[in-house]
Amino acid sequence: WVFRTGFVDPDAAVDLGLLAKGFHIVTGPVPYNADGPMTPHWNAVYKHLTRHGFSSRPVMEGAGGAAGEAYAWAIENPDKVSCIYGENPILHSTLAKTQPLDNLAPLAKVGVPILHVCGSLDPWFKEQTGVAEKRYKELGGKITVIVKEGEGHYPLAPKNLQPVLEFIAGNAK
């Protein structure tokens, strides 16, 4: 299953591809107020689903700013995550005490594989994914970055979904 940290758009190509492969897409508690997500709410969703037969190691998924929340929950629960998928991620979180970009060691320590799909013209590409890739590799972590040349922050999903679907399906537990 995929524990998604943002709303699912009607044209969310990766999610549609995963649904076709039998995955469940679960949107965690996304608040409508300025307080941001709250860790106890995310933990409650995780506990409820795992008590009802869902895998104890979901895929974490987030796009843009929501990716930071996926990372934050994964960093707090690295043994409960099979992999992380981010589209043009901005690694800032209201959940985290230490921002995800500065706290990747817990993920690397347990070997959580990461995949980012980014537009080469995305304004946060170098300062977010570029820095995350360098730091994660230095920590011994495995991160793959797919760059969409000439594209900006939107659209998020790649045109060729196969590498993304294979990454997620191959790492899901």
Side-chain angles (χ1 to χ4, degrees):
W1 62 289
V2 176
F3 203 3
R4 187 180 165 97
T5 57
F7 295 112
V8 180
D9 294 324
D11 60 348
V14 170
D15 294 306
L16 292 171
L18 291 170
L19 284 169
K21 289 188 168 290
F23 279 80
H24 297 278
I25 308 297
V26 177
T27 300
V30 180
Y32 289 100
N33 57 36
D35 295 340
M38 298 177 69
T39 302
H41 297 164
W42 283 84
N43 293 342
V45 170
Y46 173 84
K47 286 177 189 171
H48 177 78
L49 291 172
T50 56
R51 274 193 228 127
H52 287 85
F54 281 64
S55 168
S56 62
R57 300 198 52 205
V59 172
M60 296 303 295
E61 177 188 353
E69 306 304 351
Y71 267 83
W73 194 86
I75 288 166
E76 290 295 318
N77 301 281
D79 58 326
K80 296 177 181 171
V81 175
S82 63
C83 63
I84 298 173
Y85 170 62
E87 294 176 349
N88 283 327
I90 300 169
L91 301 181
H92 175 79
S93 169
T94 58
L95 282 176
K97 295 174 183 101
T98 303
Q99 291 306 310
L101 197 55
D102 298 323
N103 194 21
L104 298 170
L107 300 172
K109 183 177 180 183
V110 299
V112 174
I114 297 171
L115 172 63
H116 286 183
V117 173
C118 304
S120 64
L121 303 177
D122 179 71
W124 297 281
F125 173 56
K126 289 181 183 172
E127 68 186 54
Q128 295 292 306
T129 291
V131 171
E133 180 181 30
K134 181 180 183 296
R135 289 179 183 175
Y136 204 60
K137 286 180 176 178
E138 287 172 353
L139 292 166
K142 180 183 171 193
I143 182 170
T144 302
V145 178
I146 297 173
V147 179
K148 301 181 310 179
E149 290 300 327
E151 294 196 31
H153 195 67
Y154 294 103
L156 296 171
K159 289 179 179 122
N160 179 5
L161 294 178
Q162 200 58 38
V164 175
L165 299 178
E166 287 175 4
F167 171 84
I168 292 172
N171 286 295
K173 296 183 171 56

mmCIF file of all heavy atoms in Angstrom, residues 115-165:
data_model
loop_
_atom_site.group_PDB
_atom_site.id
_atom_site.type_symbol
_atom_site.label_atom_id
_atom_site.label_comp_id
_atom_site.label_asym_id
_atom_site.label_seq_id
_atom_site.Cartn_x
_atom_site.Cartn_y
_atom_site.Cartn_z
ATOM 1 N N LEU A 115 13.318 7.300 -4.456
ATOM 2 C CA LEU A 115 13.248 7.690 -5.855
ATOM 3 C C LEU A 115 12.616 9.068 -5.935
ATOM 4 O O LEU A 115 11.557 9.300 -5.359
ATOM 5 C CB LEU A 115 12.389 6.697 -6.665
ATOM 6 C CG LEU A 115 12.087 7.099 -8.114
ATOM 7 C CD1 LEU A 115 13.358 7.186 -8.948
ATOM 8 C CD2 LEU A 115 11.098 6.116 -8.742
ATOM 9 N N HIS A 116 13.281 9.986 -6.637
ATOM 10 C CA HIS A 116 12.734 11.311 -6.928
ATOM 11 C C HIS A 116 12.595 11.450 -8.434
ATOM 12 O O HIS A 116 13.491 11.056 -9.181
ATOM 13 C CB HIS A 116 13.673 12.425 -6.449
ATOM 14 C CG HIS A 116 13.698 12.618 -4.984
ATOM 15 N ND1 HIS A 116 14.444 13.613 -4.391
ATOM 16 C CD2 HIS A 116 13.076 11.972 -3.964
ATOM 17 C CE1 HIS A 116 14.285 13.566 -3.084
ATOM 18 N NE2 HIS A 116 13.470 12.566 -2.802
ATOM 19 N N VAL A 117 11.471 12.033 -8.862
ATOM 20 C CA VAL A 117 11.276 12.424 -10.247
ATOM 21 C C VAL A 117 11.174 13.941 -10.234
ATOM 22 O O VAL A 117 10.329 14.499 -9.526
ATOM 23 C CB VAL A 117 10.016 11.788 -10.859
ATOM 24 C CG1 VAL A 117 9.758 12.346 -12.245
ATOM 25 C CG2 VAL A 117 10.158 10.278 -10.902
ATOM 26 N N CYS A 118 12.059 14.605 -10.983
ATOM 27 C CA CYS A 118 12.142 16.070 -10.925
ATOM 28 C C CYS A 118 12.306 16.677 -12.307
ATOM 29 O O CYS A 118 12.990 16.117 -13.156
ATOM 30 C CB CYS A 118 13.359 16.488 -10.100
ATOM 31 S SG CYS A 118 13.413 15.808 -8.447
ATOM 32 N N GLY A 119 11.722 17.835 -12.468
ATOM 33 C CA GLY A 119 11.961 18.614 -13.667
ATOM 34 C C GLY A 119 13.293 19.332 -13.533
ATOM 35 O O GLY A 119 13.620 19.857 -12.476
ATOM 36 N N SER A 120 14.074 19.358 -14.604
ATOM 37 C CA SER A 120 15.391 20.012 -14.544
ATOM 38 C C SER A 120 15.256 21.508 -14.275
ATOM 39 O O SER A 120 16.186 22.131 -13.756
ATOM 40 C CB SER A 120 16.169 19.788 -15.845
ATOM 41 O OG SER A 120 15.503 20.398 -16.944
ATOM 42 N N LEU A 121 14.103 22.091 -14.606
ATOM 43 C CA LEU A 121 13.882 23.525 -14.392
ATOM 44 C C LEU A 121 13.092 23.819 -13.123
ATOM 45 O O LEU A 121 12.746 24.976 -12.866
ATOM 46 C CB LEU A 121 13.143 24.119 -15.610
ATOM 47 C CG LEU A 121 13.835 23.933 -16.956
ATOM 48 C CD1 LEU A 121 12.980 24.505 -18.074
ATOM 49 C CD2 LEU A 121 15.223 24.549 -16.944
ATOM 50 N N ASP A 122 12.797 22.783 -12.336
ATOM 51 C CA ASP A 122 12.090 23.000 -11.076
ATOM 52 C C ASP A 122 12.934 23.924 -10.199
ATOM 53 O O ASP A 122 14.141 23.686 -10.030
ATOM 54 C CB ASP A 122 11.864 21.672 -10.350
ATOM 55 C CG ASP A 122 11.161 21.863 -9.032
ATOM 56 O OD1 ASP A 122 9.966 22.183 -9.045
ATOM 57 O OD2 ASP A 122 11.818 21.724 -7.987
ATOM 58 N N PRO A 123 12.364 25.001 -9.639
ATOM 59 C CA PRO A 123 13.167 25.954 -8.878
ATOM 60 C C PRO A 123 13.805 25.368 -7.618
ATOM 61 O O PRO A 123 14.774 25.929 -7.116
ATOM 62 C CB PRO A 123 12.175 27.069 -8.527
ATOM 63 C CG PRO A 123 10.829 26.506 -8.761
ATOM 64 C CD PRO A 123 10.970 25.398 -9.756
ATOM 65 N N TRP A 124 13.305 24.245 -7.126
ATOM 66 C CA TRP A 124 13.867 23.647 -5.910
ATOM 67 C C TRP A 124 14.715 22.418 -6.210
ATOM 68 O O TRP A 124 15.222 21.779 -5.295
ATOM 69 C CB TRP A 124 12.747 23.271 -4.948
ATOM 70 C CG TRP A 124 11.983 24.468 -4.501
ATOM 71 C CD1 TRP A 124 12.370 25.372 -3.544
ATOM 72 C CD2 TRP A 124 10.739 24.922 -4.995
ATOM 73 N NE1 TRP A 124 11.427 26.355 -3.428
ATOM 74 C CE2 TRP A 124 10.403 26.110 -4.312
ATOM 75 C CE3 TRP A 124 9.858 24.457 -5.961
ATOM 76 C CZ2 TRP A 124 9.240 26.811 -4.554
ATOM 77 C CZ3 TRP A 124 8.685 25.158 -6.199
ATOM 78 C CH2 TRP A 124 8.406 26.321 -5.496
ATOM 79 N N PHE A 125 14.880 22.077 -7.482
ATOM 80 C CA PHE A 125 15.579 20.839 -7.840
ATOM 81 C C PHE A 125 16.975 20.745 -7.227
ATOM 82 O O PHE A 125 17.291 19.799 -6.520
ATOM 83 C CB PHE A 125 15.638 20.701 -9.364
ATOM 84 C CG PHE A 125 16.481 19.548 -9.850
ATOM 85 C CD1 PHE A 125 16.231 18.262 -9.427
ATOM 86 C CD2 PHE A 125 17.528 19.755 -10.734
ATOM 87 C CE1 PHE A 125 16.999 17.196 -9.870
ATOM 88 C CE2 PHE A 125 18.299 18.703 -11.194
ATOM 89 C CZ PHE A 125 18.039 17.422 -10.749
ATOM 90 N N LYS A 126 17.806 21.728 -7.462
ATOM 91 C CA LYS A 126 19.195 21.653 -6.984
ATOM 92 C C LYS A 126 19.294 21.750 -5.475
ATOM 93 O O LYS A 126 20.036 21.001 -4.844
ATOM 94 C CB LYS A 126 20.048 22.737 -7.644
ATOM 95 C CG LYS A 126 20.301 22.473 -9.105
ATOM 96 C CD LYS A 126 21.151 23.538 -9.743
ATOM 97 C CE LYS A 126 21.299 23.239 -11.229
ATOM 98 N NZ LYS A 126 21.945 24.301 -11.953
ATOM 99 N N GLU A 127 18.532 22.671 -4.867
ATOM 100 C CA GLU A 127 18.664 22.873 -3.421
ATOM 101 C C GLU A 127 17.916 21.833 -2.593
ATOM 102 O O GLU A 127 18.153 21.726 -1.399
ATOM 103 C CB GLU A 127 18.215 24.280 -3.018
ATOM 104 C CG GLU A 127 16.739 24.530 -3.181
ATOM 105 C CD GLU A 127 16.365 25.971 -2.908
ATOM 106 O OE1 GLU A 127 16.963 26.871 -3.521
ATOM 107 O OE2 GLU A 127 15.479 26.177 -2.085
ATOM 108 N N GLN A 128 17.034 21.081 -3.204
ATOM 109 C CA GLN A 128 16.315 20.039 -2.478
ATOM 110 C C GLN A 128 16.814 18.650 -2.899
ATOM 111 O O GLN A 128 17.538 18.007 -2.161
ATOM 112 C CB GLN A 128 14.799 20.183 -2.693
ATOM 113 C CG GLN A 128 14.240 21.460 -2.119
ATOM 114 C CD GLN A 128 14.279 21.500 -0.609
ATOM 115 O OE1 GLN A 128 13.777 20.595 0.048
ATOM 116 N NE2 GLN A 128 14.868 22.549 -0.054
ATOM 117 N N THR A 129 16.446 18.206 -4.097
ATOM 118 C CA THR A 129 16.857 16.870 -4.528
ATOM 119 C C THR A 129 18.361 16.772 -4.697
ATOM 120 O O THR A 129 18.963 15.772 -4.306
ATOM 121 C CB THR A 129 16.124 16.474 -5.820
ATOM 122 O OG1 THR A 129 14.743 16.284 -5.494
ATOM 123 C CG2 THR A 129 16.679 15.205 -6.427
ATOM 124 N N GLY A 130 18.983 17.800 -5.255
ATOM 125 C CA GLY A 130 20.441 17.756 -5.419
ATOM 126 C C GLY A 130 21.164 17.579 -4.092
ATOM 127 O O GLY A 130 22.071 16.751 -3.971
ATOM 128 N N VAL A 131 20.750 18.323 -3.094
ATOM 129 C CA VAL A 131 21.365 18.220 -1.760
ATOM 130 C C VAL A 131 21.008 16.878 -1.116
ATOM 131 O O VAL A 131 21.868 16.210 -0.537
ATOM 132 C CB VAL A 131 20.935 19.408 -0.870
ATOM 133 C CG1 VAL A 131 21.379 19.211 0.561
ATOM 134 C CG2 VAL A 131 21.491 20.716 -1.433
ATOM 135 N N ALA A 132 19.739 16.471 -1.218
ATOM 136 C CA ALA A 132 19.322 15.193 -0.629
ATOM 137 C C ALA A 132 20.094 14.027 -1.238
ATOM 138 O O ALA A 132 20.552 13.130 -0.516
ATOM 139 C CB ALA A 132 17.823 14.989 -0.818
ATOM 140 N N GLU A 133 20.247 14.049 -2.554
ATOM 141 C CA GLU A 133 20.969 12.970 -3.233
ATOM 142 C C GLU A 133 22.409 12.881 -2.733
ATOM 143 O O GLU A 133 22.898 11.798 -2.386
ATOM 144 C CB GLU A 133 20.945 13.194 -4.746
ATOM 145 C CG GLU A 133 21.673 12.123 -5.531
ATOM 146 C CD GLU A 133 21.653 12.373 -7.022
ATOM 147 O OE1 GLU A 133 21.617 13.548 -7.460
ATOM 148 O OE2 GLU A 133 21.699 11.379 -7.766
ATOM 149 N N LYS A 134 23.086 14.005 -2.669
ATOM 150 C CA LYS A 134 24.479 14.021 -2.207
ATOM 151 C C LYS A 134 24.582 13.523 -0.763
ATOM 152 O O LYS A 134 25.398 12.650 -0.449
ATOM 153 C CB LYS A 134 25.035 15.444 -2.318
ATOM 154 C CG LYS A 134 26.479 15.596 -1.888
ATOM 155 C CD LYS A 134 26.932 17.049 -2.051
ATOM 156 C CE LYS A 134 28.375 17.267 -1.710
ATOM 157 N NZ LYS A 134 28.725 17.009 -0.333
ATOM 158 N N ARG A 135 23.754 14.058 0.113
ATOM 159 C CA ARG A 135 23.811 13.675 1.529
ATOM 160 C C ARG A 135 23.449 12.209 1.742
ATOM 161 O O ARG A 135 24.083 11.512 2.532
ATOM 162 C CB ARG A 135 22.886 14.573 2.362
ATOM 163 C CG ARG A 135 23.398 15.982 2.489
ATOM 164 C CD ARG A 135 22.458 16.844 3.302
ATOM 165 N NE ARG A 135 22.937 18.222 3.350
ATOM 166 C CZ ARG A 135 22.271 19.215 3.902
ATOM 167 N NH1 ARG A 135 21.101 19.009 4.491
ATOM 168 N NH2 ARG A 135 22.783 20.428 3.896
ATOM 169 N N TYR A 136 22.401 11.752 1.052
ATOM 170 C CA TYR A 136 21.952 10.377 1.255
ATOM 171 C C TYR A 136 23.013 9.387 0.782
ATOM 172 O O TYR A 136 23.270 8.384 1.451
ATOM 173 C CB TYR A 136 20.620 10.147 0.539
ATOM 174 C CG TYR A 136 19.820 9.013 1.127
ATOM 175 C CD1 TYR A 136 19.416 9.036 2.457
ATOM 176 C CD2 TYR A 136 19.449 7.914 0.368
ATOM 177 C CE1 TYR A 136 18.684 8.006 3.015
ATOM 178 C CE2 TYR A 136 18.716 6.875 0.905
ATOM 179 C CZ TYR A 136 18.335 6.925 2.231
ATOM 180 O OH TYR A 136 17.607 5.885 2.776
ATOM 181 N N LYS A 137 23.633 9.670 -0.341
ATOM 182 C CA LYS A 137 24.706 8.793 -0.827
ATOM 183 C C LYS A 137 25.899 8.802 0.122
ATOM 184 O O LYS A 137 26.514 7.761 0.364
ATOM 185 C CB LYS A 137 25.125 9.194 -2.245
ATOM 186 C CG LYS A 137 24.109 8.783 -3.296
ATOM 187 C CD LYS A 137 24.533 9.176 -4.690
ATOM 188 C CE LYS A 137 23.538 8.663 -5.715
ATOM 189 N NZ LYS A 137 23.876 9.065 -7.088
ATOM 190 N N GLU A 138 26.232 9.973 0.670
ATOM 191 C CA GLU A 138 27.327 10.054 1.642
ATOM 192 C C GLU A 138 27.033 9.221 2.886
ATOM 193 O O GLU A 138 27.949 8.704 3.531
ATOM 194 C CB GLU A 138 27.591 11.513 2.040
ATOM 195 C CG GLU A 138 28.264 12.328 0.959
ATOM 196 C CD GLU A 138 28.354 13.817 1.279
ATOM 197 O OE1 GLU A 138 27.770 14.266 2.299
ATOM 198 O OE2 GLU A 138 29.009 14.535 0.493
ATOM 199 N N LEU A 139 25.755 9.082 3.227
ATOM 200 C CA LEU A 139 25.344 8.281 4.383
ATOM 201 C C LEU A 139 25.245 6.795 4.041
ATOM 202 O O LEU A 139 24.935 5.976 4.901
ATOM 203 C CB LEU A 139 23.990 8.773 4.906
ATOM 204 C CG LEU A 139 23.980 10.150 5.549
ATOM 205 C CD1 LEU A 139 22.543 10.662 5.703
ATOM 206 C CD2 LEU A 139 24.675 10.105 6.912
ATOM 207 N N GLY A 140 25.486 6.454 2.794
ATOM 208 C CA GLY A 140 25.409 5.066 2.352
ATOM 209 C C GLY A 140 24.034 4.650 1.864
ATOM 210 O O GLY A 140 23.795 3.472 1.621
ATOM 211 N N GLY A 141 23.131 5.613 1.704
ATOM 212 C CA GLY A 141 21.781 5.318 1.247
ATOM 213 C C GLY A 141 21.694 5.197 -0.258
ATOM 214 O O GLY A 141 22.549 5.678 -0.999
ATOM 215 N N LYS A 142 20.627 4.536 -0.703
ATOM 216 C CA LYS A 142 20.389 4.343 -2.140
ATOM 217 C C LYS A 142 19.286 5.299 -2.583
ATOM 218 O O LYS A 142 18.148 5.206 -2.112
ATOM 219 C CB LYS A 142 19.969 2.898 -2.411
ATOM 220 C CG LYS A 142 19.712 2.609 -3.866
ATOM 221 C CD LYS A 142 19.225 1.178 -4.071
ATOM 222 C CE LYS A 142 18.778 1.003 -5.499
ATOM 223 N NZ LYS A 142 18.032 -0.235 -5.698
ATOM 224 N N ILE A 143 19.625 6.220 -3.478
ATOM 225 C CA ILE A 143 18.664 7.171 -4.017
ATOM 226 C C ILE A 143 18.823 7.238 -5.530
ATOM 227 O O ILE A 143 19.948 7.264 -6.041
ATOM 228 C CB ILE A 143 18.805 8.575 -3.387
ATOM 229 C CG1 ILE A 143 17.749 9.546 -3.944
ATOM 230 C CG2 ILE A 143 20.212 9.113 -3.523
ATOM 231 C CD1 ILE A 143 17.677 10.875 -3.205
ATOM 232 N N THR A 144 17.701 7.224 -6.219
ATOM 233 C CA THR A 144 17.675 7.336 -7.671
ATOM 234 C C THR A 144 16.929 8.610 -8.025
ATOM 235 O O THR A 144 15.882 8.894 -7.435
ATOM 236 C CB THR A 144 16.956 6.120 -8.291
ATOM 237 O OG1 THR A 144 17.628 4.928 -7.891
ATOM 238 C CG2 THR A 144 16.924 6.221 -9.811
ATOM 239 N N VAL A 145 17.471 9.365 -8.971
ATOM 240 C CA VAL A 145 16.821 10.596 -9.410
ATOM 241 C C VAL A 145 16.572 10.499 -10.912
ATOM 242 O O VAL A 145 17.496 10.253 -11.682
ATOM 243 C CB VAL A 145 17.687 11.837 -9.088
ATOM 244 C CG1 VAL A 145 17.016 13.103 -9.607
ATOM 245 C CG2 VAL A 145 17.959 11.934 -7.587
ATOM 246 N N ILE A 146 15.316 10.669 -11.296
ATOM 247 C CA ILE A 146 14.942 10.732 -12.705
ATOM 248 C C ILE A 146 14.680 12.198 -13.012
ATOM 249 O O ILE A 146 13.825 12.824 -12.377
ATOM 250 C CB ILE A 146 13.690 9.886 -13.003
ATOM 251 C CG1 ILE A 146 13.972 8.405 -12.721
ATOM 252 C CG2 ILE A 146 13.231 10.100 -14.447
ATOM 253 C CD1 ILE A 146 12.743 7.505 -12.828
ATOM 254 N N VAL A 147 15.441 12.747 -13.962
ATOM 255 C CA VAL A 147 15.327 14.155 -14.313
ATOM 256 C C VAL A 147 14.580 14.290 -15.631
ATOM 257 O O VAL A 147 14.938 13.654 -16.625
ATOM 258 C CB VAL A 147 16.719 14.817 -14.417
ATOM 259 C CG1 VAL A 147 16.588 16.281 -14.802
ATOM 260 C CG2 VAL A 147 17.479 14.672 -13.103
ATOM 261 N N LYS A 148 13.538 15.111 -15.610
ATOM 262 C CA LYS A 148 12.766 15.406 -16.811
ATOM 263 C C LYS A 148 13.328 16.701 -17.390
ATOM 264 O O LYS A 148 13.060 17.787 -16.891
ATOM 265 C CB LYS A 148 11.286 15.551 -16.469
ATOM 266 C CG LYS A 148 10.704 14.296 -15.839
ATOM 267 C CD LYS A 148 9.225 14.404 -15.505
ATOM 268 C CE LYS A 148 8.900 15.645 -14.733
ATOM 269 N NZ LYS A 148 7.491 15.800 -14.405
ATOM 270 N N GLU A 149 14.153 16.564 -18.418
ATOM 271 C CA GLU A 149 14.829 17.719 -19.019
ATOM 272 C C GLU A 149 13.831 18.723 -19.580
ATOM 273 O O GLU A 149 12.859 18.353 -20.226
ATOM 274 C CB GLU A 149 15.791 17.271 -20.122
ATOM 275 C CG GLU A 149 17.006 16.541 -19.623
ATOM 276 C CD GLU A 149 17.880 17.358 -18.682
ATOM 277 O OE1 GLU A 149 17.970 18.588 -18.831
ATOM 278 O OE2 GLU A 149 18.472 16.743 -17.769
ATOM 279 N N GLY A 150 14.103 19.997 -19.286
ATOM 280 C CA GLY A 150 13.301 21.079 -19.825
ATOM 281 C C GLY A 150 11.954 21.287 -19.156
ATOM 282 O O GLY A 150 11.168 22.112 -19.593
ATOM 283 N N GLU A 151 11.667 20.534 -18.089
ATOM 284 C CA GLU A 151 10.388 20.683 -17.396
ATOM 285 C C GLU A 151 10.607 21.349 -16.049
ATOM 286 O O GLU A 151 11.667 21.236 -15.433
ATOM 287 C CB GLU A 151 9.705 19.325 -17.237
ATOM 288 C CG GLU A 151 9.300 18.752 -18.588
ATOM 289 C CD GLU A 151 8.295 17.637 -18.477
ATOM 290 O OE1 GLU A 151 7.480 17.638 -17.533
ATOM 291 O OE2 GLU A 151 8.333 16.760 -19.347
ATOM 292 N N GLY A 152 9.583 22.029 -15.585
ATOM 293 C CA GLY A 152 9.637 22.735 -14.309
ATOM 294 C C GLY A 152 8.994 21.936 -13.200
ATOM 295 O O GLY A 152 9.114 20.716 -13.146
ATOM 296 N N HIS A 153 8.283 22.643 -12.329
ATOM 297 C CA HIS A 153 7.676 21.986 -11.163
ATOM 298 C C HIS A 153 6.463 21.146 -11.554
ATOM 299 O O HIS A 153 6.161 20.152 -10.928
ATOM 300 C CB HIS A 153 7.296 23.047 -10.123
ATOM 301 C CG HIS A 153 7.006 22.475 -8.783
ATOM 302 N ND1 HIS A 153 7.974 21.877 -8.004
ATOM 303 C CD2 HIS A 153 5.851 22.386 -8.079
ATOM 304 C CE1 HIS A 153 7.430 21.463 -6.879
ATOM 305 N NE2 HIS A 153 6.145 21.760 -6.889
ATOM 306 N N TYR A 154 5.744 21.552 -12.600
ATOM 307 C CA TYR A 154 4.587 20.794 -13.078
ATOM 308 C C TYR A 154 4.767 20.505 -14.554
ATOM 309 O O TYR A 154 5.362 21.302 -15.246
ATOM 310 C CB TYR A 154 3.293 21.595 -12.872
ATOM 311 C CG TYR A 154 2.989 21.797 -11.414
ATOM 312 C CD1 TYR A 154 3.234 23.023 -10.818
ATOM 313 C CD2 TYR A 154 2.488 20.765 -10.636
ATOM 314 C CE1 TYR A 154 2.965 23.212 -9.470
ATOM 315 C CE2 TYR A 154 2.218 20.951 -9.294
ATOM 316 C CZ TYR A 154 2.456 22.181 -8.715
ATOM 317 O OH TYR A 154 2.218 22.364 -7.392
ATOM 318 N N PRO A 155 4.297 19.394 -15.095
ATOM 319 C CA PRO A 155 3.612 18.315 -14.395
ATOM 320 C C PRO A 155 4.606 17.515 -13.570
ATOM 321 O O PRO A 155 5.814 17.541 -13.836
ATOM 322 C CB PRO A 155 3.031 17.466 -15.516
ATOM 323 C CG PRO A 155 3.962 17.692 -16.669
ATOM 324 C CD PRO A 155 4.462 19.113 -16.510
ATOM 325 N N LEU A 156 4.092 16.807 -12.579
ATOM 326 C CA LEU A 156 4.980 16.112 -11.655
ATOM 327 C C LEU A 156 5.397 14.723 -12.135
ATOM 328 O O LEU A 156 6.559 14.384 -12.100
ATOM 329 C CB LEU A 156 4.313 16.018 -10.276
ATOM 330 C CG LEU A 156 4.063 17.371 -9.609
ATOM 331 C CD1 LEU A 156 3.212 17.196 -8.365
ATOM 332 C CD2 LEU A 156 5.364 18.051 -9.253
ATOM 333 N N ALA A 157 4.464 13.905 -12.548
ATOM 334 C CA ALA A 157 4.785 12.523 -12.915
ATOM 335 C C ALA A 157 5.555 12.458 -14.230
ATOM 336 O O ALA A 157 5.361 13.287 -15.111
ATOM 337 C CB ALA A 157 3.508 11.708 -13.032
ATOM 338 N N PRO A 158 6.412 11.450 -14.364
ATOM 339 C CA PRO A 158 7.140 11.293 -15.626
ATOM 340 C C PRO A 158 6.221 10.756 -16.720
ATOM 341 O O PRO A 158 5.197 10.144 -16.446
ATOM 342 C CB PRO A 158 8.210 10.258 -15.261
ATOM 343 C CG PRO A 158 7.584 9.451 -14.174
ATOM 344 C CD PRO A 158 6.751 10.419 -13.388
ATOM 345 N N LYS A 159 6.619 10.993 -17.965
ATOM 346 C CA LYS A 159 5.839 10.472 -19.094
ATOM 347 C C LYS A 159 5.937 8.947 -19.148
ATOM 348 O O LYS A 159 4.975 8.265 -19.438
ATOM 349 C CB LYS A 159 6.321 11.103 -20.397
ATOM 350 C CG LYS A 159 5.938 12.566 -20.497
ATOM 351 C CD LYS A 159 6.438 13.203 -21.768
ATOM 352 C CE LYS A 159 5.990 14.645 -21.790
ATOM 353 N NZ LYS A 159 7.034 15.592 -21.890
ATOM 354 N N ASN A 160 7.121 8.429 -18.886
ATOM 355 C CA ASN A 160 7.327 6.982 -18.848
ATOM 356 C C ASN A 160 7.198 6.524 -17.395
ATOM 357 O O ASN A 160 8.112 6.715 -16.597
ATOM 358 C CB ASN A 160 8.694 6.614 -19.418
ATOM 359 C CG ASN A 160 8.959 5.128 -19.381
ATOM 360 O OD1 ASN A 160 8.100 4.325 -19.018
ATOM 361 N ND2 ASN A 160 10.171 4.738 -19.743
ATOM 362 N N LEU A 161 6.093 5.928 -17.062
ATOM 363 C CA LEU A 161 5.829 5.503 -15.682
ATOM 364 C C LEU A 161 6.537 4.208 -15.297
ATOM 365 O O LEU A 161 6.672 3.915 -14.119
ATOM 366 C CB LEU A 161 4.329 5.314 -15.468
ATOM 367 C CG LEU A 161 3.468 6.549 -15.549
ATOM 368 C CD1 LEU A 161 2.008 6.175 -15.356
ATOM 369 C CD2 LEU A 161 3.897 7.572 -14.522
ATOM 370 N N GLN A 162 6.963 3.442 -16.287
ATOM 371 C CA GLN A 162 7.490 2.112 -16.010
ATOM 372 C C GLN A 162 8.605 2.097 -14.957
ATOM 373 O O GLN A 162 8.551 1.287 -14.032
ATOM 374 C CB GLN A 162 7.944 1.439 -17.308
ATOM 375 C CG GLN A 162 8.051 -0.064 -17.192
ATOM 376 C CD GLN A 162 6.741 -0.728 -16.768
ATOM 377 O OE1 GLN A 162 5.647 -0.328 -17.170
ATOM 378 N NE2 GLN A 162 6.845 -1.745 -15.942
ATOM 379 N N PRO A 163 9.642 2.960 -15.048
ATOM 380 C CA PRO A 163 10.691 2.905 -14.017
ATOM 381 C C PRO A 163 10.168 3.207 -12.612
ATOM 382 O O PRO A 163 10.621 2.602 -11.637
ATOM 383 C CB PRO A 163 11.696 3.979 -14.459
ATOM 384 C CG PRO A 163 11.425 4.214 -15.892
ATOM 385 C CD PRO A 163 9.967 3.918 -16.097
ATOM 386 N N VAL A 164 9.200 4.108 -12.502
ATOM 387 C CA VAL A 164 8.634 4.442 -11.199
ATOM 388 C C VAL A 164 7.838 3.270 -10.651
ATOM 389 O O VAL A 164 8.003 2.874 -9.490
ATOM 390 C CB VAL A 164 7.755 5.709 -11.277
ATOM 391 C CG1 VAL A 164 7.061 5.986 -9.961
ATOM 392 C CG2 VAL A 164 8.584 6.902 -11.712
ATOM 393 N N LEU A 165 6.977 2.698 -11.479
ATOM 394 C CA LEU A 165 6.164 1.560 -11.038
ATOM 395 C C LEU A 165 7.035 0.361 -10.671
ATOM 396 O O LEU A 165 6.781 -0.320 -9.678
ATOM 397 C CB LEU A 165 5.152 1.190 -12.114
ATOM 398 C CG LEU A 165 4.143 2.287 -12.482
ATOM 399 C CD1 LEU A 165 3.223 1.811 -13.606
ATOM 400 C CD2 LEU A 165 3.346 2.756 -11.291
#
